[in-house]
Amino acid sequence: MLGRAIREQPRIFAVAVAGSVLFGSMVIASAYVVGGVVGKVVVPAIERGSVTRGALALAAAALFGISVLRVVGIFGRRLGAGYMQYRLQAAYRRRVTRRYLDLPLAWHHRNATGTLLSNANSDVEAAWYPIAPLPFAVGTLVMLVGAVVSLFLTDWALALVGLAVFPALFALNVVYSRRMAPRQARAQRLRAEVSGIAHESFDGALVVKTMGREAQETARFAGRAGELRDALIAVGRLRGVFDPMLETLPSLGTLAVLVVGAIRLNQGAIDVTELVSVAFLFTVLAFPVRAIGWVLAELPRSVAGWDRVRRVLDATGDMPYGTTVLDPAAPAPATLAFHDVHFGYEPAEAHLPGTQVLGEVSFTVPAGRTVALVGPTGSGKSTIASLAVRLVDPHTGTVTLDGVDLRELTAASLAGTVALVAQVPFVFDDTVRANITLDRAGIGDEEVWAALRLAEADGFVAALPDGLDTMVGERGTSLSGGQRQRLTLARALAGRPRLLVLDDATSAVDPRVEAAILAGLRAPADGGAPASILVVAYRRATIALADEVIYVEQGRVLARGTHAELLATVPGYADLVTAYEQAEQEREQNRTYDEVTPLTSGLEIEVDR
C-alpha cells in the first residue's frame, strides 16, 4: 500500500524524503559539531580560564548554519508529506465516488448508505494516515545508517550499543503493530456502523417521530457508539503501554553510551569530543526514531481502511456501455421493445437464493404511443421501468430502443433519449432552476418554463418567493409531495426525451392535474413531437388515456389491449382497477392530495379541505 502511494506521487515523495534526509544529516552533523565545540572550545576555555572569540564565533556560526539547514529540511519534509497525503486522500475520494456511480443499483442495494459514506470519508482518510510520517521515517532510516557508520568510525564498543538499541526499537514496534492491527480494524468497522445507524435514523425521521421511536433509535445509536468508544479506548490503552517503552529505549541507550563511553575514555580509546558527540547523537536520535514508530502505529488502521476502500474499488458488476449513438436531433419519438426478458435480483448474501422477478416479458411501446403498465403490488412493474432505462440489465432477452439493444448504446445517447421519473421524487438542496437544468447544456429559462408548464408546475413555481431562484431545501422539504413530483417531471421533460418512463410518478398529484399532465405529454402545446410514454399506473383516469394497457402479474405479461377490452375480458384486471378506483374515491372524499403544509422539522402533514 505504501508502495502504491509512492508510485502515484513519486516527485512529491522525493521532495519530502530529500527534506527528511537533509534533516537527518544535520542531526548527525549537529552531534559532532556539539562534540567538537565541547572538546575543542569549552574544555580548553575552562582549562585556560578564558574564551577565544574567534573559536567561539566559529562554533556559533557552525551551529547556526546547521540549524538553518535543519529548518529547511523540516519545511521540505512537512510540506511534501502533507501535500502527498492530502492529494492521495482527494484522489481516492474521487475514485470511490466514481466507482459508486459506475456500479449498478443491485450492488448499492446490498450495501448500507452509512457504510458507503464511511468508505468515501473516514476509510479513505485512515488508508493514507501513514503518509504524513512516512518521508520522515525513510529519512530516519538513512540517518540511522549514517549514525551506525559514524559510531563504528568513532569506537566499536559504542557502535555495539547502537546495534543493540536500534533493533530493539524495531522489534518493539513490530510487536506493537501486530497487537494493534485487530483493534484498529474493529474500530474502523464500528465507525462505519455508527455512521450507518445515524444516517438511517436521520433519513427515516418521519417514521421515527410518527411511530414514537425516538428513545429506541437513540438507544440503538448509543449502544453502537458505546462499542466504538470501547474499541477506541482499547486502542488508546495499548498505545499507552507501548509509547512509554518506545520513548524509554533511546534514553536507556544514551545511559549505556555514557557508561561504556566513560570506561572507554578512561582506557584512552576515545576522547571527550567523541564521547560528547556519541551521547548527544543518542539524545537527538530519540525523536526521529519515533517517526518509524508512528508509521508502524498507523499501519494497522491504515490497512483496515484500505481493505474497506479496496472492496469498493474492486467491486464487480459493471454495466459497460456500447458505442452506438442514436441521432440526438431525431424529432420522432422512440420505439421501446422488450423481447423475452427474464430478470431476477441477486441475494443480499452469497449463500442465499436469488429472487426471480420477471419471466418471458415481451411487449412494445410504439413510437408516439402511450402504454400503461398495470398490475398488483410486487408484479414487477417498477423492475420493467428500471430495465427500460437500463438501471439494470436483463439476465436473458433484450430491451431495444429503435431496434438497438440498450447495452450497445453510449451512456450519453441513452441519457439523451430516455428519461425516467421515479416513484419517489428526489429533489436536490438547490434552486428550482438548478433542479430542472442539472447544468445540462442548452436548457435556458425559456426551456425551463416550457417544461414546468408541461408538468403543470409553472403556477406554483411562479408563486414561490424567488421564482426559479427559490431554494427548495434538502430533499425539497419546502414543497409538497405533489409539487416535488411535478418538479422532477419537469426535470425529465426539460431534456426533451424521445421516450418518457413514468414509474407511478404522479401518485401525489390531484387526478385532474395528472390527467392534464398526461394530455399535455401526448400533445405538447408548443407543437413539438410527443414522446413515447411507458407509464406505471393505477388510476382509472390515467389508464384510460393509454393507447394500450399491459397487464402484469407475478412477473409475466398476462394480457394486453385497451382499457375497455381488458376490463371486459380479464377478471383479475377488472377487480384490480375497480379496487383502485374505490380506494381513490374514498381518499378523495376525506382529504386532499395537493395541499401539504411543510413543517420546520422537514416532516409533512396533509391538510383537510
Side-chain angles (χ1 to χ4, degrees):
M1 189 184 67
L2 295 179
R4 175 189 292 264
I6 295 169
R7 289 191 301 271
E8 291 193 13
Q9 303 290 335
R11 295 182 180 178
I12 300 174
F13 181 71
V15 170
V17 170
S20 182
V21 170
L22 177 61
F23 171 80
S25 301
M26 292 304 102
V27 166
I28 296 174
S30 65
Y32 285 93
V33 169
V34 168
V37 169
V38 172
K40 306 299 183 183
V41 178
V42 177
V43 172
I46 293 173
E47 292 174 349
R48 293 194 306 268
S50 62
V51 179
T52 303
R53 290 184 178 180
L56 189 61
L58 183 61
L63 291 173
F64 178 77
I66 287 176
S67 298
V68 169
L69 291 176
R70 286 179 65 175
V71 168
V72 172
I74 292 173
F75 178 78
R77 167 174 56 82
R78 286 184 176 272
L79 182 64
Y83 197 62
M84 181 178 177
Q85 181 183 28
Y86 297 135
R87 279 178 64 94
L88 285 168
Q89 288 177 350
Y92 274 84
R93 280 195 180 97
R94 290 192 294 268
R95 292 183 191 182
V96 168
T97 304
R98 180 70 258 177
R99 192 69 187 126
Y100 285 162
L101 299 177
D102 288 339
L103 289 166
L105 284 180
W107 184 87
H108 287 269
H109 293 159
R110 297 193 300 270
N111 293 272
T113 303
T115 300
L116 302 185
L117 291 172
S118 180
N119 292 152
N121 186 25
S122 62
D123 290 336
V124 169
E125 285 189 359
W128 304 117
Y129 268 141
I131 299 304
L134 179 61
F136 195 8
V138 174
T140 298
L141 288 174
V142 175
M143 182 180 63
L144 289 178
V145 172
V148 170
V149 171
S150 300
L151 288 175
F152 272 105
L153 293 176
T154 301
D155 183 68
W156 64 268
L158 297 179
L160 291 178
V161 174
L163 290 178
V165 172
F166 297 150
L169 279 172
F170 282 112
L172 187 61
N173 273 308
V174 169
V175 173
Y176 171 62
S177 297
R178 288 182 176 177
R179 290 180 176 272
M180 182 63 79
R183 291 171 172 81
Q184 289 283 21
R186 182 169 183 268
Q188 202 65 19
R189 174 178 56 81
L190 287 170
R191 281 189 177 94
E193 293 180 7
V194 168
S195 176
I197 293 174
H199 179 273
E200 192 173 55
S201 298
F202 303 153
D203 207 35
L206 175 62
V207 176
V208 172
K209 287 185 173 295
T210 56
M211 301 299 292
R213 300 292 298 176
E214 294 93 335
Q216 290 80 359
E217 283 299 302
T218 301
R220 186 164 75 106
F221 180 82
R224 199 54 53 90
E227 291 184 41
L228 176 60
R229 174 204 61 208
D230 295 341
L232 293 175
I233 288 175
V235 169
R237 186 181 294 118
L238 185 64
R239 183 168 288 172
V241 170
F242 276 86
D243 275 0
M245 299 170 64
L246 293 170
E247 292 285 352
T248 301
L249 268 178
S251 300
L252 293 176
T254 302
L255 181 60
V257 163
L258 290 174
V259 172
V260 174
I263 296 173
R264 299 292 288 169
L265 182 64
N266 288 333
Q267 294 174 348
I270 60 174
D271 57 21
V272 173
T273 297
E274 293 170 328
L275 177 59
V276 171
S277 296
V278 173
F280 185 78
L281 182 61
F282 268 80
T283 302
V284 296
L285 278 178
F287 173 71
V289 167
R290 289 291 291 121
I292 299 173
W294 295 334
V295 173
L296 295 176
E298 292 294 347
L299 281 181
R301 180 183 178 187
S302 175
V303 169
W306 174 245
D307 285 342
R308 295 170 61 83
V309 170
R310 190 173 57 186
R311 184 181 66 85
V312 176
L313 298 179
D314 294 345
T316 58
D318 294 68
M319 296 172 58
Y321 289 91
T323 58
T324 304
V325 177
L326 297 177
D327 183 5
T335 298
L336 174 71
F338 278 63
H339 306 279
D340 194 23
V341 169
H342 294 71
F343 178 80
Y345 288 105
E346 296 180 6
E349 299 180 20
H351 65 280
L352 297 177
T355 304
Q356 186 67 26
V357 179
L358 301 177
E360 300 178 359
V361 173
S362 297
F363 67 89
T364 301
V365 179
R369 311 290 278 178
T370 298
V371 173
L373 278 176
V374 180
T377 301
S379 59
K381 301 185 299 296
S382 292
T383 301
I384 291 175
S386 297
L387 285 162
V389 295
R390 212 193 165 208
L391 291 178
V392 293
D393 283 334
H395 290 173
T396 60
T398 59
V399 180
T400 63
L401 200 61
D402 287 346
V404 180
D405 192 326
L406 295 186
R407 288 169 288 201
E408 297 177 6
L409 295 175
T410 65
S413 183
L414 181 62
T417 306
V418 183
L420 168 71
V421 185
Q423 192 172 11
V424 179
F426 181 84
V427 181
F428 293 96
D429 185 9
D430 209 329
T431 64
V432 172
R433 178 188 289 104
N435 267 286
I436 294 177
T437 63
L438 295 182
D439 290 329
R440 289 175 289 181
I443 302 179
D445 283 1
E446 184 177 344
E447 288 75 18
V448 169
W449 282 113
L452 288 170
R453 283 191 295 271
L454 198 54
E456 296 287 324
D458 55 321
F460 83 79
V461 171
L464 293 174
D466 298 313
L468 293 178
D469 294 315
T470 301
M471 297 293 296
V472 298
E474 185 178 6
R475 291 182 177 267
T477 53
S478 65
L479 304 175
S480 73
Q483 289 171 338
R484 286 196 296 270
Q485 282 195 333
R486 282 180 279 172
L487 199 64
T488 55
L489 178 58
R491 174 196 298 160
L493 295 173
R496 292 192 173 274
R498 297 171 56 213
L499 171 67
L500 187 62
V501 180
L502 306 178
D503 184 8
D504 199 13
T506 53
S507 58
V509 175
D510 185 283
R512 291 177 295 278
V513 176
E514 181 187 38
I517 291 172
L518 290 176
L521 294 177
R522 290 168 59 91
D526 60 2
S532 305
I533 301 174
L534 176 63
V535 55
V536 176
Y538 69 90
R539 288 174 175 167
R540 181 189 287 263
T542 306
I543 299 169
L545 290 172
D547 299 299
E548 184 181 23
V549 178
I550 306 294
Y551 180 56
V552 183
E553 193 173 299
Q554 296 183 350
R556 296 178 181 272
V557 176
L558 295 189
R560 69 186 66 194
T562 65
H563 169 61
E565 291 171 350
L566 296 187
L567 203 60
T569 59
V570 183
Y573 175 81
D575 293 342
L576 183 66
V577 173
T578 301
Y580 282 156
E581 188 173 24
Q582 290 175 350
E584 186 70 25
Q585 290 174 350
E586 292 176 2
R587 283 193 291 268
E588 278 294 297
Q589 291 172 358
N590 295 305
R591 53 181 150 174
T592 180
Y593 280 83
D594 211 27
E595 290 183 20
V596 179
T597 300
L599 303 180
T600 55
S601 65
L603 305 180
E604 295 179 351
I605 60 174
E606 294 182 350
V607 183
D608 290 337
R609 289 188 187 272

